[in-house]
Amino acid sequence: MKLYIANQNYSSWSLRAWLPFAQLGLDAEIIKLPLFTDTFYQTLASVTPAAKVPVLIDDECQVWDSLAILEYLNECHLDGKAWPQAVNARAKARALACEMHSGFMALRNEMPMNCRATRDIALSPAALADIRRIDDIWSEQMKAYPGQWLFGEWSMVDAMYAPVALRCRTYQIALSDAATQYQQRVLHSPAILRWLAEAASETDIVPEDEAGTPVFPEVGKAAI
Ligand SMILES: N[C@@H](CCC(=O)N[C@@H](CS)C(=O)NCC(=O)O)C(=O)O
């Protein structure tokens, strides 16, 4: 398989598609393209009609869009085991994944993923409401599965929410104890530590994704 992603510092949709490979030990050639450059669009022209990453190529199969990639991996390479096995839990996990995929616009616009930065930020009421909803989701799942992943075992919904754990770290968002427990689980997982190390080695700056006022020392350069 080949997985096309963008800058690991900034590309949250790339992280969502990349995570199952790192977390579940799937093999792929990772092709990283610099966001918003000619190389990015020229390379993608022959790979996806959508001109966005992530894109997965598996023999003849071409899958674009993070959620479609997660579903494809689950179905074709993970024997259906990457969603919760109980039907009600699976339905809820998919609902939460779709909620992230189609929502949280204020949070996504005002708190762009920027792994190596630590920032102060003034947020709108809409973004604060998004954070409260995230806190509620994580807290509710931690009550059901204390100290574990959102549905106990790691599943695709954890891939969908991982970038938010990083964004809350960058913008120093105060979360409830239960939500912090989940955030810390994400931040200390070997797959995320690997992503952070790879992001920290990048030097490109994408001005569109730089928000807030820098706080020093930046967390990306210190221990979590
Ligand atoms: N809904 C898509 C969103 C993909 C997306 O917006 N990717 C960004 C990078 S994080 C991108 O390729 N942007 C390039 C552009 O918009 O020109 C998904 O879930 O994969």
Side-chain angles (χ1 to χ4, degrees):
M1 285 187 276
K2 282 186 185 173
L3 181 69
Y4 290 79
I5 64 170
N7 312 52
Q8 286 170 273
N9 189 58
Y10 296 109
S11 182
S12 61
W13 297 112
S14 297
L15 169 56
R16 293 177 173 103
W18 176 93
L19 256 183
F21 289 91
Q23 186 72 33
L24 304 174
L26 293 176
D27 205 28
E29 179 191 349
I30 305 293
I31 299 151
K32 183 155 54 166
L33 304 172
L35 268 173
F36 308 128
T37 60
D38 290 346
T39 308
F40 182 89
Y41 297 109
Q42 280 161 11
T43 308
L44 289 183
S46 61
V47 176
T48 167
K52 289 187 195 301
V53 292
V55 185
L56 180 71
I57 306 295
D58 190 16
D59 292 328
E60 302 293 295
C61 193
Q62 197 183 35
V63 194
W64 61 95
D65 193 289
S66 56
L67 196 48
I69 293 171
L70 299 187
E71 291 291 1
Y72 176 82
L73 292 174
N74 177 63
E75 195 178 317
C76 298
H77 291 277
L78 294 164
D79 206 16
K81 300 219 166 72
W83 287 106
Q85 293 306 290
V87 68
N88 288 0
R90 189 162 64 251
K92 184 176 181 186
R94 281 204 165 108
L96 290 172
C98 290
E99 186 177 347
M100 171 50 66
H101 194 246
S102 62
F104 297 105
M105 295 307 177
L107 183 155
R108 292 196 337 226
N109 288 337
E110 295 175 36
M111 298 167 53
M113 194 171 94
N114 189 347
C115 294
R116 60 182 172 238
T118 309
R119 297 286 158 85
D120 278 331
I121 196 141
L123 295 171
S124 69
L128 293 171
D130 282 350
I131 289 168
R132 281 197 298 279
R133 174 68 188 135
I134 295 281
D135 197 304
D136 286 349
I137 292 168
W138 291 357
S139 301
E140 186 175 307
Q141 294 310 114
M142 285 306 97
K143 278 181 197 117
Y145 305 99
Q148 300 181 61
W149 296 105
L150 289 174
F151 287 81
E153 294 286 304
W154 190 92
S155 69
M156 292 306 195
V157 69
D158 294 292
M160 292 304 286
Y161 281 82
V164 184
L166 293 172
R167 287 166 146 132
C168 288
R169 168 180 175 259
T170 292
Y171 301 101
Q172 308 175 87
I173 304 300
L175 298 168
S176 65
D177 288 350
T180 301
Q181 189 184 35
Y182 177 69
Q183 184 199 18
Q184 290 302 313
R185 168 122 208 177
V186 174
L187 295 180
H188 289 91
S189 64
I192 289 292
L193 291 172
R194 188 171 134 204
W195 178 272
L196 288 173
E198 292 173 14
S201 71
E202 295 173 352
T203 51
D204 288 354
I205 304 283
V206 175
E208 295 89 327
D209 287 337
E210 292 287 331
T213 314
V215 175
F216 296 101
E218 304 249 77
V219 280
K221 294 174 186 142
I224 293 165

